[in-house]
């Protein structure tokens, strides 16, 4: 049973949510010695911070793409990456319903990581250490690049004198509808796609290459799923 945790980086976006949830669950939060030292710090400083910790307690990080070797020389180590996006504007409820990637080199490490997942209220799944980069690339596409897509679409709406925030309920409904594809490509309406290309080329030519690639990938996925085309 994890009874004490030192959350290093407890003022960060992830760290603040994690620390608040652990406190809610009755876990003692300490700035010094603890059973578990949890690094909620930027990826670039994990190695540096881990090297300053005296061996003994469990040491873990919450990075999605950083291998366990970053926690050298600690042998009692694991990682738990909440597959979620975080903001300072919200609290520990950001963890509710999230999954979490767990990586551990021993059965004991995985057991402790899964125990931490239960305390945080996230659903753990195992992740091989050598597949972290692949996993994290997928996570970044689904989160960071969604922000990029929203910016692209919002730019086009703004050019049409439409408030970009009108897109937000649409984007949420796509998720609520389990990502069911609709629209011209699903219908095989390539005339509409060509009209899109023409107006994007005229109004925002810097977005045309991205539009074309997204259309190509959507058409490929539509064919593979057996949708109308």
């Amino acid at each position: 049973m994890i009874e004490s945790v030192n959350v290093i980086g407890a003022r960060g976006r992830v760290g603040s949510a994690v620390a608040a949830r652990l406190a809610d669950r009755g876990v003692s939060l300490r700035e010094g010695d603890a059973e578990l030292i949890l690094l909620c710090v930027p990826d670039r400083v994990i190695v540096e911070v881990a090297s300053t910790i005296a061996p003994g307690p469990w040491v873990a990080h919450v990075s999605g793409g950083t291998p366990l070797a970053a926690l050298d020389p600690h042998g009692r180590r694991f990682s738990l990456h909440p597959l979620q996006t975080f903001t300072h504007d919200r609290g520990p409820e950001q963890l509710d319903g999230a999954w979490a990637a767990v990586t551990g080199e021993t059965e004991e490490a995985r057991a402790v990581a899964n125990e931490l997942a239960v305390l945080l209220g996230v659903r753990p799944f195992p992740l091989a250490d050598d597949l972290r980069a692949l996993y994290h690339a997928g996570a970044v596409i689904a989160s960071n690049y969604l922000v990029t897509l929203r910016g692209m679409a919002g730019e086009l709406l703004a050019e049409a004198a439409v408030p970009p925030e009108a897109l937000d309920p649409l984007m949420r409904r796509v998720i609520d509808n389990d990502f069911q594809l609709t629209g011209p490509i699903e219908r095989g309406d390539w005339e509409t796609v060509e009209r899109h290309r023409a107006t994007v080329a005229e109004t925002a030519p810097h977005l045309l290459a991205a539009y074309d690639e997204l259309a190509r990938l959507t058409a490929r996925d539509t064919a593979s799923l057996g949708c109308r085309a």
Side-chain angles (χ1 to χ4, degrees), residues 51-105:
S51 68
T52 67
I53 300 170
W58 285 100
V59 179
H61 67 62
V62 297
S63 168
T66 304
L68 290 179
L71 297 176
D72 286 346
H74 303 281
R76 303 180 75 211
R77 63 192 187 186
F78 64 88
S79 72
L80 184 150
H81 175 248
L83 188 53
Q84 184 58 283
T85 182
F86 293 88
T87 173
H88 282 297
D89 298 331
R90 299 178 62 191
E93 74 279 1
Q94 296 177 91
L95 291 159
D96 295 342
W99 293 60
V102 166
T103 304
E105 296 163 311

Side-chain angles (χ1 to χ4, degrees), residues 5 19 65 85 87 93 95 110 113 123 135 143 153 170 176 182 200 208 212 216:
V5 179
T85 182
T87 173
E93 74 279 1
L95 291 159
R110 291 186 289 273
R123 183 175 178 178
Y135 154 78
S143 56
L170 169 65
D176 292 340
T182 63
V200 170
L208 183 59
D212 283 346
R216 185 188 69 80

Side-chain angles (χ1 to χ4, degrees), residues 85-161:
T85 182
F86 293 88
T87 173
H88 282 297
D89 298 331
R90 299 178 62 191
E93 74 279 1
Q94 296 177 91
L95 291 159
D96 295 342
W99 293 60
V102 166
T103 304
E105 296 163 311
T106 66
E107 184 175 342
E108 184 182 14
R110 291 186 289 273
V112 175
N114 287 331
E115 182 181 337
L116 177 61
V118 171
L119 285 170
L120 294 177
V122 296
R123 183 175 178 178
F125 59 88
L127 175 66
D129 200 41
D130 61 350
L131 295 177
R132 300 187 70 84
L134 183 63
Y135 154 78
H136 198 237
V140 166
I141 290 172
S143 56
N144 302 167
Y145 295 171
L146 181 62
V147 176
T148 303
L149 287 172
R150 169 60 171 76
M152 291 170 56
E155 183 177 343
L156 297 177
L157 260 67
E159 290 289 342

